[in-house]
Amino acid sequence: MERNLAFGDIWVYLAASPLLHLTLTLLAYIFADWIFRRSGRMALLNPVLLSIILLVTILGATGTDYPTYFAGAQFVHFMLGPATVALAVPLYRNLHLIRKLWLPILVSIGTGVFVSASSALLVAYWLGGSQQTLISLAPKSVTAPVAMGISEKVGGLPSLSAALVVLTGVLGAVIGSAVLASVRGRDDRARGLALGASCHGIGTARAFQLSDTAGAFSALAMGLTALISAFVLPFVLHWVF
Amino acid sequence: MILKFIALLLLCQLAGEVFVVWSGLPVPGPVLGMALLFVGLAFRGRVPVGLGRVVDGLLSHLSLLFVPAGVGVMQHIAMLHDEWLAISVALVVSTVLTIAVTGLLMKFLMRRMEHQEGEG
């Protein structure tokens, strides 16, 4: 009895300290990443998706609410801001690719941003999605930190956007090659660009498996999509809703 | 001196956030920070070695950083349950369309440009 009480005390102490959920977040991700690597990088076993499922299951089983979890996880979350700023470096490194192709790249990516947001909005609206869902869906092709920023700025749910961004990435990584093959997009520059513009970092990881050229174009497309979306989508969404 | 470059990233973000609050622009502050750093790199003409190291370290675990926010969907499970059809169909249709349109358009525009160059 006494021992149980002592254990209970320790549990209460641990659960109240941010350290527990910070550690749990890192361990869940390390475990998910290990599974992903062991599977030969199967797109469906995306480490972000796996860690989220794992953590939601653990929190649900232990009856922990999100604010309690976030008190610990916020230290990881905070790094999203500096990481977004850091995206300027890969964008700059891939700048040389633009030199001759800047017009096709900008037109394709600008069109991609439009098609991605408008088709998601139209389909979800048509099937009765709520306004909050629509706003959270709009930046689904944008890299997560920027998508969450856009969603938050226009009254969406940043956490829902983050989950939808990850799902979009996983989906694109799984079906992207098949879609591109069916439209005969065999050029590696076009393939990389399409993956980066539609599926951000997860698409870029997939593009690097195709070739270095595809990867570089994908990284560039991801950066430009984020930049264009961040400056255009909030204004368009404000106007639409 | 890695600390200097961490401070640089934070400083760019801070400048972006301050500008957003000041101007009322609906653009995420860190994105303005990214634009600022990008302009700085363009002026400098190269990526400083230390900055490259800090950034590569930070971005190599980029996907870990989405996890805490992603876990936040547990607050919206009821809503997801109600709207799963709209959300999943929208995701599939829009992802397929975006990949197909950007890929095809890029290929078409490049081919046209290379064609013109060949003639000119």
Side-chain angles (χ1 to χ4, degrees):
Chain A
M1 193 67 194
E2 230 183 329
R3 274 176 71 164
N4 276 345
L5 201 69
F7 179 77
D9 284 349
I10 291 173
W11 178 251
V12 168
Y13 167 72
L14 278 179
S17 122
L19 185 60
L20 174 64
H21 293 116
L22 178 60
T23 312
L24 201 61
T25 304
L26 288 180
L27 288 179
Y29 184 79
I30 291 169
F31 178 62
D33 196 47
W34 178 78
I35 293 182
F36 176 62
R37 283 167 204 272
R38 281 299 293 266
S39 74
R41 297 175 181 274
M42 250 177 75
L44 210 55
L45 293 177
N46 179 270
V48 180
L49 193 67
L50 275 186
S51 342
I52 292 173
I53 294 172
L54 201 62
L55 285 164
V56 169
T57 311
I58 294 173
L59 296 179
T62 56
T64 312
D65 61 2
Y66 185 64
T68 307
Y69 165 76
F70 196 75
Q74 62 174 321
F75 302 106
V76 173
H77 180 77
F78 174 79
M79 298 305 291
L80 270 180
T84 306
V85 175
L87 288 174
V89 171
L91 190 60
Y92 178 78
R93 279 182 187 147
N94 291 312
L95 197 63
H96 65 278
L97 297 173
I98 294 190
R99 217 175 281 154
K100 278 178 79 179
L101 291 171
W102 66 271
L103 191 60
I105 289 174
L106 283 182
V107 172
S108 306
I109 290 176
T111 311
V113 168
F114 172 76
V115 169
S116 166
S118 59
S119 62
L121 285 179
L122 281 175
V123 172
Y125 177 74
W126 180 59
L127 290 171
S130 68
Q131 179 173 327
Q132 217 163 31
T133 303
L134 295 185
I135 296 177
S136 310
L137 258 173
K140 67 173 199 42
S141 285
V142 185
T143 186
V146 177
M148 286 164 59
I150 294 173
S151 182
E152 192 181 10
K153 282 281 170 201
V154 279
L157 300 167
S159 56
L160 182 58
S161 291
L164 295 174
V165 164
V166 172
L167 283 174
T168 300
V170 173
L171 186 67
V174 175
I175 62 173
S177 294
V179 173
L180 287 167
S182 70
V183 297
R184 297 166 180 270
R186 266 188 220 111
D187 187 293
D188 268 359
R189 294 170 296 182
R191 294 209 290 184
L193 191 99
L195 284 170
S198 58
C199 308
H200 48 89
I202 301 174
T204 300
R206 178 79 189 91
F208 269 113
Q209 292 177 339
L210 300 175
S211 73
D212 276 355
T213 308
F217 270 83
S218 187
L220 178 71
M222 169 176 91
L224 287 176
T225 299
L227 214 51
I228 294 174
S229 301
F231 283 99
V232 175
L233 276 187
F235 290 101
V236 176
L237 290 173
H238 261 310
W239 181 72
V240 173
F241 293 103
Chain B
M1 186 54 182
I2 276 176
L3 208 53
K4 196 170 71 182
F5 294 110
I6 296 175
L8 177 68
L9 292 179
L10 291 176
L11 202 64
C12 286
Q13 187 187 352
L14 186 64
E17 305 276 15
V18 168
F19 187 80
V20 165
V21 172
W22 173 75
S23 66
L25 274 178
V27 172
V31 174
L32 285 181
M34 168 168 80
L36 190 65
L37 181 61
F38 184 82
V39 170
L41 289 173
F43 268 107
R44 182 89 192 254
R46 64 180 184 84
V47 179
V49 180
L51 179 64
R53 221 177 279 157
V54 169
V55 166
D56 290 338
L58 190 58
L59 294 185
S60 65
H61 299 294
L62 183 61
S63 37
L64 164 68
L65 312 185
F66 313 150
V67 172
V71 172
V73 285
M74 66 187 273
Q75 294 178 300
H76 315 305
I77 283 178
M79 195 181 100
L80 285 175
H81 186 76
D82 292 340
E83 300 188 30
W84 68 271
L85 184 71
I87 292 176
S88 44
V89 176
L91 279 187
V92 173
V93 170
S94 153
T95 304
V96 170
L97 265 182
T98 310
I99 295 176
V101 168
T102 41
L104 272 182
L105 189 60
M106 179 68 182
K107 200 177 112 179
F108 169 77
L109 291 173
M110 280 192 309
R111 190 177 285 172
R112 223 180 90 154
M113 218 171 108
E114 277 153 10
H115 220 70
Q116 279 175 350
E117 267 171 20
E119 283 168 7

